[in-house]
Amino acid sequence: MIDIIIPNWNGRGLLRTCLDSLQRQSFRSFRTIVVDNGSTDGSVSFIQQNYPEVSIIQLNENKGFSAAVNRGILASDKEWVLLLNNDVEVAEDCLHALAQICNQDLEYQFFALKMIDYHERSKIDGAGDCVMRGGVGYRLGTMENDSERHSIKREVFGSCAGAALYRRAIFTDVGLFDEDFFAYLEDVDFNLRAVKAGKKCCYLPDARIYHIGSASTGSKVNSFTIRLSTRNNVFVVLKNFGPVLFIRFLPSFLIYQFFWLLFVIKKRQFIPYLSGLAESLKYLRTMFKGYGNNQKISTLSAKEFGDRIINSEKQAISSIINRRSQQGKNNRLFKIYLNIFC
């Protein structure tokens, strides 16, 4: 009933927690497919020896998150596809909760699972995804205390591809993940394309996973993440906004870029930042072509699409304000931004 796709790159140390949690599921009608991105740490032999029930697709090199999950999606055949990062533990009743939903909420084409911090389980890691006018995503509830507001099933803009359930038909209608992104923001691009095509996403608080985070790259801030995040931010804007929305969102986009640059300088990552910008220029024609293809599947006008993004950004900023308030931080700039731009 459900095919589970897990991309893996040198994640042997993470796989036991993830695969053991799948073995403990109360719901058993699923198949697990690990797509290995050319690991050199013995991941494949570890799976073969300890989890013979798991199917393995071996790539000869690290082709990135998008390529790995795409290979898994194309190799699967069930109506439902669950994408999971290799650095998660799946709650024992998670798949049961997903199975209950599969045949009930026919208006939704994909679902966001409740992501909880692996190490501090009173904290939310993500409760559905938003997108912002700066061309980036934000996981609702990130670093907030778990509370009643995160226990309510609701429609959200999109899902984090590290823990998301998809109807197979959505990939026919919207396309697969863009492999030019390699890693980072590929799910933001997918969410934008899905919304533009009239697809809806629902957050499922009863489907819980515990997420370690940044396990493959070793840290949240390094030259690799800065370079690809900078480059892919440009990709998202070029592929999805178009000239009308770009002009409409330009003030917000410039504000985001200004603070992103300050962050990069503070973290001493200016060279990777410049490298990311330079790389984005090589893909200009490809991204403009992608925008043209996106227009063919669009069911929304530029204004309707823009309004959806603005509403999503409001939710993201409200979540940021709530998190910062819990941490005792000042929110004056965020409140000013909301008053002026939202």
Side-chain angles (χ1 to χ4, degrees):
M1 185 175 183
I2 299 175
D3 274 335
I4 302 173
I5 312 298
I6 303 172
N8 176 72
W9 178 65
N10 289 339
R12 175 174 175 168
L14 303 165
L15 286 169
R16 184 177 296 280
T17 296
C18 180
L19 296 178
D20 280 357
S21 70
L22 289 175
Q23 288 184 333
R24 294 192 295 267
Q25 293 299 301
S26 58
F27 175 82
R28 302 304 307 167
S29 184
F30 68 91
R31 175 177 62 156
T32 303
I33 302 172
V34 172
V35 184
D36 188 77
N37 249 330
S39 293
T40 57
D41 67 343
S43 288
V44 172
S45 59
F46 172 77
I47 297 170
Q48 291 171 336
Q49 293 170 14
N50 295 280
Y51 305 94
E53 74 280 6
V54 173
S55 301
I56 304 173
I57 298 175
Q58 291 183 252
L59 306 182
N60 57 9
E61 62 180 346
N62 186 4
K63 296 181 180 295
F65 177 90
S66 298
V69 297
N70 285 348
R71 294 291 183 89
I73 292 167
L74 292 173
S76 65
D77 57 11
K78 301 296 189 295
E79 180 186 358
W80 294 94
V81 176
L82 174 63
L83 300 187
L84 288 178
N85 280 353
N86 61 359
D87 62 340
V88 303
E89 177 186 336
V90 185
E92 291 183 13
D93 59 352
C94 179
L95 296 189
H96 176 77
L98 293 180
Q100 295 294 104
I101 288 296
C102 286
N103 296 317
Q104 295 177 7
D105 291 308
L106 300 180
E107 65 176 310
Y108 296 108
Q109 292 75 42
F110 60 132
F111 298 87
L113 280 63
K114 184 175 186 177
M115 304 176 72
I116 299 168
D117 188 284
Y118 180 85
H119 299 289
E120 194 172 355
R121 300 195 174 191
S122 63
K123 299 287 186 182
I124 294 294
D125 188 69
D129 270 23
C130 288
V131 68
M132 304 176 77
R133 281 175 281 186
V136 294
Y138 184 80
R139 292 204 300 268
L140 287 169
T142 298
M143 293 186 287
E144 292 182 38
N145 296 327
D146 195 359
S147 63
E148 184 63 30
R149 65 195 298 264
H150 299 304
S151 300
I152 300 172
K153 178 183 169 185
R154 64 185 184 276
E155 185 172 324
V156 291
F157 191 90
S159 59
C160 169
L165 180 71
Y166 302 85
R167 293 183 189 273
R168 174 169 300 281
I170 195 173
F171 299 115
T172 301
D173 297 338
V174 175
L176 297 171
F177 290 88
D178 190 335
E179 297 184 14
D180 287 328
F181 280 68
F182 190 85
Y184 302 111
L185 303 185
E186 69 288 309
D187 48 3
V188 177
D189 169 65
F190 185 90
N191 291 339
L192 285 163
R193 284 189 279 135
V195 169
K196 184 175 282 192
K199 310 303 180 183
K200 293 182 179 181
C201 181
C202 182
Y203 164 64
L204 302 176
D206 293 333
R208 296 167 294 120
I209 64 97
Y210 304 95
H211 184 218
I212 296 174
S214 303
S216 294
T217 57
S219 67
K220 292 183 179 181
V221 180
N222 54 58
S223 60
F224 179 80
T225 61
I226 295 297
R227 177 176 62 84
L228 286 187
S229 295
T230 300
R231 185 195 72 171
N232 293 352
N233 182 200
V234 177
F235 287 179
V236 168
V237 172
L238 293 179
K239 274 193 67 179
N240 295 285
F241 286 2
V244 173
L245 284 188
F246 182 74
I247 293 172
R248 181 181 177 185
F249 292 168
L250 185 58
S252 296
F253 178 76
L254 293 176
I255 289 172
Y256 172 79
Q257 291 300 322
F258 173 73
F259 283 102
W260 174 243
L261 178 58
L262 291 182
F263 174 81
V264 165
I265 293 172
K266 179 182 178 181
K267 297 297 183 179
R268 300 181 180 180
Q269 296 289 340
F270 188 63
I271 298 302
Y273 168 81
L274 290 179
S275 177
L277 288 179
E279 284 186 29
S280 69
L281 297 177
K282 301 177 183 178
Y283 288 82
L284 287 179
R285 180 175 295 180
T286 301
M287 293 302 127
F288 285 135
K289 181 179 179 181
Y291 172 73
N293 292 335
N294 289 348
Q295 291 301 99
K296 296 176 183 178
I297 65 172
S298 178
T299 63
L300 302 178
S301 67
K303 183 181 184 308
E304 291 170 329
F305 186 48
D307 289 345
R308 291 287 302 274
I309 293 173
I310 291 173
N311 183 61
S312 177
E313 184 178 69
K314 287 179 184 178
Q315 296 178 45
I317 294 176
S318 296
S319 179
I320 293 170
I321 289 174
N322 189 60
R323 181 249 300 170
R324 288 175 61 87
S325 295
Q326 292 176 1
Q327 297 170 340
K329 295 181 179 180
N330 185 285
N331 288 301
R332 187 176 298 110
L333 288 177
F334 289 103
K335 290 178 179 178
I336 291 173
Y337 180 89
L338 277 177
N339 289 332
I340 294 177
F341 294 102
C342 297

